[in-house]
Each structure stands twice: as structure tokens, then as C-alpha cells.
Amino acid sequence: DASHFYCIAAAPDRLPAVLAIGRSNGAVRLLAGGDQPLAEEQLSRPQPLTCVAGEGERCHGFFYAPVGEPARPPLVVFLHGGPTSACYPVFDPRITFWTLRGFAVLDLNYRGSSGYGRAYRLRLAGGWGKLEVEDVRAAIEALAGEGCIDPQRVFVRGGSAGGFSALRALAELPQLRGGASLYGVSDPLALRRVTHKFEADYLDWLIGDPQQDAERYRSRTPLLQADRIRAPVIFFQGALDAVVV
């Protein structure tokens, strides 16, 4: 309005807040939210991570050490949905659940995520189901090389498109010890048939044409690779989900 800008803001140590920022002097006023649910000693703050992910390219993410920082802790890799969405260094109770229990967490912005420039996001064209798996592998190796995690105790989880990537990682990376798929895509072609109009041709960009690139679809369909997944996996799926069936 004439005197203030208004926004919803987030931070690593508190819940989202509605702010009023004075147009003339920049003074900030808290209108709602912004509570701090944890004491400082209970909080794990995000540490930016960048690592080489093949052919000189890099992937990014945020690493959360467990509270108390035990030596070489187990790791849970979080894979966001979208898949061209992103994770941000803001307070997330799902991450805190693990860091308070002795686990490290990697919130991974694999190649194709938003927030690192147009070329980085467009890198996922034709590469979904392959690039992010390479990035999971590269990030695990980088963290293990720095002594930040125990590479023998690494788990992966994701929802929707992130669930697809988690299942692909479980099929391709035998070092993973377990995973979780939350309404994850197990059959991209089934998703393509039923998805909403706004994303009707999205799979053609992410993987390829179903006829011309049929082999690429087969090689990246978790449903056809179930026998390659040797680690325990927990599935959460809505029976009435009309998009991810």
C-alpha cells in the first residue's frame, strides 16, 4: 500500500512470517507467524553444499549436521518434487525430525532445480531419472570424502517427482540402505496418460517422446526395476490420487 510492502518471509530458525516493511525507512514489523519452535542448541542450520557431478558440472544443496554432531552419522537424502522445483535453506520440521535423532540430512538441489540459473534448470531436459541419480551419488561421495557422514548408512526419500528419483536412486545405487517413496511416480507413462492439462507434455521434455524414446522410458521406469531394489522401501500412496496413480 502507500506506506508498506508486505511479504511472507522464511528463515532457517523460525516458522514463516508475514512482514510489513516500511517504504520510507525500511523498518520491519512482524504481523503474524515467525515463531521459533526450537532452542538454538536443538537447531541444525543449513550449510551450502556444492560438489562436482560429472563432466565438470556441479550440483548444489544444503547439508544439515545432526544435533550434537556425532562422528560419521547416517545420512538421509531429501529429493524435492517438481522435478524442476527447489529446496530452500529455511526451517523444515521434517529435516529437524532427523537431525534431532542423530541423522545428517542433505536437501539436494540436483541439476534441473530452480534457483541456480536458467541453464541449470534446463539441464534436466531428457535427463530426468538419470541426472539426479548421478548427483545423489556425487553428493554422497563428497560428504563421505570430507568425513561428514558414514557412507555405509545412507537413505533416500522423496515425494511425487522426488519419489520417482528416490526409487531410481534405489535401483541404481546399491550403497543405499533404505528409502521412502511418498506418492512417488513409479510409472512415467501412466503419469503421462492421466496428468492434468497444465503438465500434459511435461514428460516429453523431461524424458522424451514415448514412441521415439521408448527404450529410455523402459530404462527409467521404477516399476520395471523392482527386482533391482534390494534395500527396504516404505511407500505412502493415496488410493484416490488422480495424478500419481
Side-chain angles (χ1 to χ4, degrees), residues 226-245:
D227 60 330
R228 297 177 58 191
I229 298 177
R230 299 298 183 181
V233 186
I234 188 168
F235 289 83
F236 296 87
Q237 181 68 43
L240 301 181
D241 192 326
V243 178
V244 183
V245 295

Side-chain angles (χ1 to χ4, degrees), residues 54-66:
E55 300 180 1
E57 294 185 298
R58 296 182 176 274
C59 65
H60 308 279
F62 299 98
F63 177 73
Y64 296 79

Side-chain angles (χ1 to χ4, degrees), residues 12-167:
D13 61 345
R14 63 189 64 212
L15 301 177
V18 181
L19 304 180
I21 305 172
R23 295 171 66 105
S24 60
N25 57 11
V28 178
R29 185 158 49 97
L30 177 66
L31 300 182
D35 298 326
Q36 291 182 282
L38 292 175
E40 184 65 31
E41 63 270 15
Q42 296 178 298
L43 191 67
S44 177
R45 292 184 176 270
Q47 306 170 35
L49 173 76
T50 299
C51 62
V52 176
E55 300 180 1
E57 294 185 298
R58 296 182 176 274
C59 65
H60 308 279
F62 299 98
F63 177 73
Y64 296 79
V67 173
E69 299 192 9
R72 294 168 59 84
L75 174 71
V76 181
V77 180
F78 275 50
L79 297 174
H80 63 72
T84 52
S85 181
C87 59
Y88 301 94
V90 298
F91 181 79
D92 185 338
R94 300 172 304 170
I95 292 175
T96 302
F97 175 90
W98 294 103
T99 58
L100 283 172
R101 288 162 174 79
F103 286 79
V105 172
L106 172 62
D107 216 359
L108 185 63
N109 276 326
Y110 48 79
R111 285 172 291 173
S113 302
S114 299
Y116 299 89
R118 181 176 175 82
Y120 191 82
R121 186 178 66 80
L122 294 180
R123 185 65 179 83
L124 200 58
W128 190 41
K130 179 176 182 290
L131 277 184
E132 72 272 30
V133 175
E134 295 175 358
D135 291 0
V136 170
R137 178 191 287 112
I140 293 171
E141 291 176 354
L143 290 169
E146 296 174 5
C148 297
I149 63 162
D150 180 355
Q152 300 302 313
R153 295 186 293 163
V154 179
F155 306 84
V156 65
R157 52 89 70 204
S160 192
F164 167 84
S165 298
L167 293 173

